[in-house]
Structure formats: structure tokens, C-alpha cells
Amino acid sequence: MRTSFVFYDSWWEAIQNLPRDVQGDVLTAIIEYGLTGETTGQLKPIAKAMLAMAKTQIDVNNQRFENGKKGGRPNQGETKGKPNNNQTETKEKPKGNQTGTKVEPNVNDNVNENNYPPISPPKGGQDLNQDEDTLSEREAELNAREQELLKREAALKAKEGTKLPDISFVSDDFKDIFETWLKYKQEKRESYKSKKSLQACYKKLLTLSGNNPDTARNVVEQSMANNWSGLFGLTGNNHGTANRSNYTSKQEANAYALERLQQHKLDLEAGLADQVERPF
């Protein structure tokens, strides 16, 4: 296990563009390989790609370091054979016009000296950043489409809310009048809970109007003018109860109010009204 290795600034320039959590995985993988020559655990794709960027240079530096420990390659002029016994060793004297030779340093000395140019990061690191930008743009497009679909859904629901229920059971003479009443109920955000309650409301309108379309229109307009949720007989005629102003005593007026309240409670139970109206 080594005690040090060379970490190039070009590596850091590539790593610092990654997210913080990914930077930690990449740095750990490079440091572990630089000191031990191997990696432990399963590396994520980005960490694996960045390690491949530095792995080749780390291997080259380690090999040069090992060669330096052995003293480098042997000198070219050195011979290993011994002279024969009948031979005498002659030493050639240097000529007067020769100068001394300089001893060149071992090129395989300590690798810790930063004498080697750093390698450039592979194109894969740039591709990763481009992929992240593409994913962000795609996500923004999907969010915009989702918002558009929600708006369309809300518009369809609003359109369905304005659709009148089936009133095919209403006679032609009363159809326009009854549609006017149902549109008024929609504006108040009120509706009849079932077809049975809708039919009961129509029967009540026929009863209050004596099967007279003109009287039925007056009954509907009376409830609309008073902002009532239900239908009541016309005041001051033969089809309804007398107006409160016709009563001469407080007791008669209270009796009239009680009668109206009881009638409206019955309408609530039958689903003909949604809230208790004031009798006046």
C-alpha cells in the first residue's frame, strides 16, 4: 500500500461540476485506488466513469515509482562478462582535447515530483452534464403538459356542471318555466339529489299553479325574486296563502310563519329544497 499519489488539478475541475453527493463517491474511489491499487464496493455509473479518467495516469505513475526504487534501467556501456586469464586489462587514457562527461540523473527517480503533464478528462464527464440538462428540460416540458391537462379537466367539469338534468317528463307548456327554475338553482350552486326529487318538484309546481303555465311562471319568479331555494304558493291569490300584510294581529302573522316553516321542512325531507327560507 502506497502512502501518497499524485492528484491533478484537471481531475478536480471535472469533479467539482458534479453534485455534492456524487463528488464524495468519485473522490473516495480515486483516493482508494491511488493508495491501494483497487476499489471496494459497487461503484455508481458516474463514479465509475470518473475513476476510469484517472486510473490510467495513476497506473503509469505507480509503475514509474516502482522502477525508480529498483535504480532504473541498466547503463548501456556496462558488460557483465569477465576477461579471460590470458588477457590483460588496458585502460585507455583520455585525450587532452576531451572534456569531462556529466552524469545524467536517473529519469526514473521519485514519481512524487510533479514532472508529468495531467491528462484531460474524458468526454464522458461533459456528456453527463449534458444529460442532466436534457433531463431538466424534459421534466419542465412534462410539468407544463400536466398543468395544461389539469386546466382542460377543470374546464370539462365546469361545462358538465352547467348541463341541465333530463326533464323529458315535463310537458311542453311547462318546460321553459321549469328550465328557468333549474338554471336559477344552478346559479345558487344547488341541485336536486335524484330524478325522483326532481319529479316531485315538478309535481309541486303543477299543484301550486293549478296546472296553469302563467301561474307557474309567477310562482317561479316569486321564489327567484325573494332568493328562495324552494317553490311556494303565490301570496294574495287563490293559489296561495294571504300576504302577511293582510293579517290584523301578531298572532295570525305568527301562525302564517309557522305554516310556511312546516311546509318548507316537508320540502327539505322530500329533497325539494336545500335550506330553510325565511317565510317573508
Side-chain angles (χ1 to χ4, degrees), residues 30-51:
I30 293 178
I31 294 173
E32 185 177 24
Y33 186 83
L35 296 178
T36 65
E38 59 185 22
T39 58
T40 60
Q42 187 70 22
L43 296 179
K44 295 180 180 179
I46 296 179
K48 189 175 182 180
M50 299 304 292
L51 176 60

Side-chain angles (χ1 to χ4, degrees), residues 83-153:
N84 296 331
N85 294 330
N86 59 353
Q87 293 179 342
T88 59
E89 182 178 357
T90 59
K91 296 182 179 179
E92 185 177 356
K93 296 182 179 180
K95 298 179 181 180
N97 60 350
Q98 289 183 340
T99 58
T101 59
K102 296 181 180 180
V103 179
E104 296 292 337
N106 192 347
V107 296
N108 293 321
D109 283 344
N110 196 343
V111 74
N112 287 330
E113 295 182 2
N114 193 0
N115 296 326
Y116 308 104
I119 62 174
S120 300
K123 295 183 179 180
Q126 299 176 358
D127 293 340
L128 292 174
N129 293 334
Q130 294 177 356
D131 291 342
E132 291 181 359
D133 295 339
T134 303
L135 289 176
S136 299
E137 294 176 358
R138 182 60 176 168
E139 184 178 1
E141 293 178 0
L142 293 176
N143 289 336
R145 292 186 60 184
E146 183 180 3
Q147 294 297 326
E148 182 64 24
L149 291 176
L150 290 176
K151 290 180 180 179
R152 293 183 181 180
E153 183 179 0

Side-chain angles (χ1 to χ4, degrees), residues 27-279:
L27 290 173
T28 301
I30 293 178
I31 294 173
E32 185 177 24
Y33 186 83
L35 296 178
T36 65
E38 59 185 22
T39 58
T40 60
Q42 187 70 22
L43 296 179
K44 295 180 180 179
I46 296 179
K48 189 175 182 180
M50 299 304 292
L51 176 60
M53 171 193 72
K55 186 176 180 181
T56 302
Q57 187 64 44
I58 293 176
D59 292 340
V60 171
N61 292 346
N62 289 342
Q63 185 61 44
R64 287 173 176 170
F65 176 78
E66 294 298 328
N67 293 340
K69 290 170 58 177
K70 296 177 182 179
R73 59 187 179 183
N75 294 330
Q76 298 295 331
E78 181 180 350
T79 58
K80 296 182 179 180
K82 295 182 179 181
N84 296 331
N85 294 330
N86 59 353
Q87 293 179 342
T88 59
E89 182 178 357
T90 59
K91 296 182 179 179
E92 185 177 356
K93 296 182 179 180
K95 298 179 181 180
N97 60 350
Q98 289 183 340
T99 58
T101 59
K102 296 181 180 180
V103 179
E104 296 292 337
N106 192 347
V107 296
N108 293 321
D109 283 344
N110 196 343
V111 74
N112 287 330
E113 295 182 2
N114 193 0
N115 296 326
Y116 308 104
I119 62 174
S120 300
K123 295 183 179 180
Q126 299 176 358
D127 293 340
L128 292 174
N129 293 334
Q130 294 177 356
D131 291 342
E132 291 181 359
D133 295 339
T134 303
L135 289 176
S136 299
E137 294 176 358
R138 182 60 176 168
E139 184 178 1
E141 293 178 0
L142 293 176
N143 289 336
R145 292 186 60 184
E146 183 180 3
Q147 294 297 326
E148 182 64 24
L149 291 176
L150 290 176
K151 290 180 180 179
R152 293 183 181 180
E153 183 179 0
L156 290 175
K157 289 183 178 179
K159 186 176 180 180
E160 292 177 356
T162 59
K163 185 178 180 181
L164 292 177
D166 179 26
I167 56 174
S168 58
F169 55 87
V170 178
S171 64
D172 293 339
D173 293 338
F174 288 86
K175 187 161 292 185
D176 291 341
I177 302 170
F178 202 59
E179 284 183 355
T180 301
W181 173 248
L182 294 179
K183 290 178 181 179
Y184 163 76
K185 294 283 287 183
Q186 282 185 348
E187 292 175 358
K188 291 172 64 65
R189 296 188 178 181
E190 299 173 354
S191 62
Y192 294 96
K193 307 303 180 183
S194 64
K195 186 175 181 179
K196 183 177 180 181
S197 64
L198 192 64
Q199 292 174 342
C201 176
Y202 173 62
K203 291 180 181 179
K204 182 179 180 181
L205 179 61
L206 295 179
T207 301
L208 294 174
S209 63
N211 292 325
N212 187 316
D214 294 333
T215 305
R217 187 177 301 278
N218 292 333
V219 170
V220 170
E221 290 178 352
Q222 174 186 252
S223 295
M224 293 170 58
N226 290 280
N227 198 29
W228 293 341
S229 294
L231 298 172
F232 300 96
L234 293 175
T235 58
N237 62 22
N238 295 331
H239 296 289
T241 310
N243 196 313
R244 179 182 180 186
S245 61
N246 295 331
Y247 292 106
T248 58
S249 67
K250 183 177 180 180
Q251 184 177 2
E252 291 177 347
N254 289 338
Y256 164 74
L258 180 60
E259 179 184 356
R260 293 289 299 276
L261 182 61
Q262 290 175 346
Q263 179 62 40
H264 196 73
K265 287 183 177 179
L266 294 176
D267 292 342
L268 286 174
E269 295 176 357
L272 302 180
D274 295 324
Q275 60 184 6
V276 178
E277 294 289 345
R278 297 182 61 183

